[in-house]
Amino acid sequence: MPDSQPQQPHSPGPRPGDGTGPADASSLVLSGARLTDGRTVDVRLSGGRIEAVGTAGSLGGHASKVDLGGFLLLPAPAEPHAHADTALTAEPEEPPSSARTDIQRRATEAALLQLGHGATGVRAHVRIGGVRGLGGLEAVLQARRSLHGLAELTTVALPPVLTGRAGADGRAMLRDALGMGASVVGGCPDLDPDPAGHAETVLTLAAEHGRPADLHTDGADPARLARLAAMAGGLRDAVSLGPCGGLARLPHEAAGRAADQLAAAGVGVVCLPQGGCGTAGLREVAPVRLLRAAGVRLAAGSGALRDAANPVGRGDPLEAAYLLASRYGLPPGPSYDSVSATARELLGLPEVRVEAGFPAELLAVRGSRLAGVLSLAYSRVVIHRGRIVARTSAVREYCDSAVAVAPELPRQSSRAQGPGPGRRGGEGPPERGAGAEEEG
């Protein structure tokens, strides 16, 4: 069973837990938005779904209206690989607190940061076992409840050891984690003395409990990947691996065989182009073009968000897509799909298109074309369950100048007062001088 049960876009109504319930019964019209096919449209949202899409100016009535002129409207991204329990712990002044209230606060803040970037669904890997036991998971589950209506946060219970006598406690704790509400059966086969046995235990528990499986692995052993692909056949399309940077270190022929085996078994791979996660410090990124050529469902995640593994991690899905395009050579469309359509598919979330009948999980980014918004994705409007849940606005100004070659540049006004662009989010839009324009 995936994080959220997918449903057909034209089903008669929402189902419990699918992320499309009637969070806001009123209608909302997004007017003048541009789509990736070049059309400029109005989009009416109601009951958490897209009710209608029409030509610009055609949808009005009594619905509230938001002007999205100058914005590109996209299906919202999803975050398939986050670490909520360690997020925002990179500050060097003192060791991070392991108190449940502090973990909950950090996990909530991290999810809101990712929501502001556009991710309305987040899958968080949470370590269990050791001194912390199930405390970290309990804290992240509480954060999940506090975020209801803003974002969908689901959890992967991640034990280090599951095999032999040493793994008995891990197996019992993993079962307890699923009983507490963990959404996904997770594992770290690279940390277990018996990696194959570890993976087999995870997949067996996933089948028993009807849950997806997500294995945190470097993927550097082709024989181990082959065995895992063979075992995953019974859970087709419900098994994910990541970050699999070790695949990039394999000879091309060996990596190609592994990719073919994963594709045949329906195993998805989540790469982390923004940096690694965990304590290994490895920074290789899975061979994205090789995996896509083999037919592997490839999603891109953020991994560490300002923790010891990546102190400058942003948790921004559009940055992940930008890196796939700029560094790894994917076109803008497939790059964005890796953080949106494919990421949602791996998380078991319903498909989203900007068409009538689909869930109203949307991201508007200032710009006119996908390549441009991946390059300068500053201003964003995030829509979850048919209502605006986050806004980010950026303003760029240039000082007054006698330069004649660029008369259309926005200018600062000598009359402008106050903090202007330095205002913090949540205090309204910044004051803009004469000629200033929103940038994104």
Side-chain angles (χ1 to χ4, degrees), residues 24-41:
D24 185 358
S26 61
S27 294
L28 177 67
V29 172
L30 311 176
S31 66
R34 186 179 177 93
L35 303 184
T36 55
D37 62 10
R39 289 181 294 154
T40 300
V41 299

Side-chain angles (χ1 to χ4, degrees), residues 181-277:
S183 310
V184 183
V185 184
C188 298
D190 299 357
L191 301 180
D192 198 300
D194 180 4
H198 185 107
E200 184 175 4
T201 300
V202 169
L203 297 178
T204 299
L205 282 173
E208 287 179 2
H209 290 265
R211 307 285 177 87
D214 197 326
L215 293 167
H216 198 295
T217 178
D218 189 46
D221 187 333
R224 191 185 303 169
L225 287 176
R227 183 169 178 182
L228 192 152
M231 291 188 294
L235 287 170
R236 187 169 183 85
D237 297 336
V239 179
S240 301
L241 307 179
C244 291
L247 272 172
R249 300 194 298 272
L250 295 177
H252 187 272
E253 185 177 343
R257 283 197 302 269
D260 290 339
Q261 291 160 346
L262 294 174
V267 176
V269 171
V270 180
C271 67
L272 302 179
Q274 296 174 89
C277 60

Side-chain angles (χ1 to χ4, degrees), residues 78-81 269-273 298-302 317 320-321 324 335 338-339 342-343:
E79 172 53 67
H81 191 121
V269 171
V270 180
C271 67
L272 302 179
L298 179 74
S302 299
L324 289 181
S335 296
S338 72
V339 301
T342 308

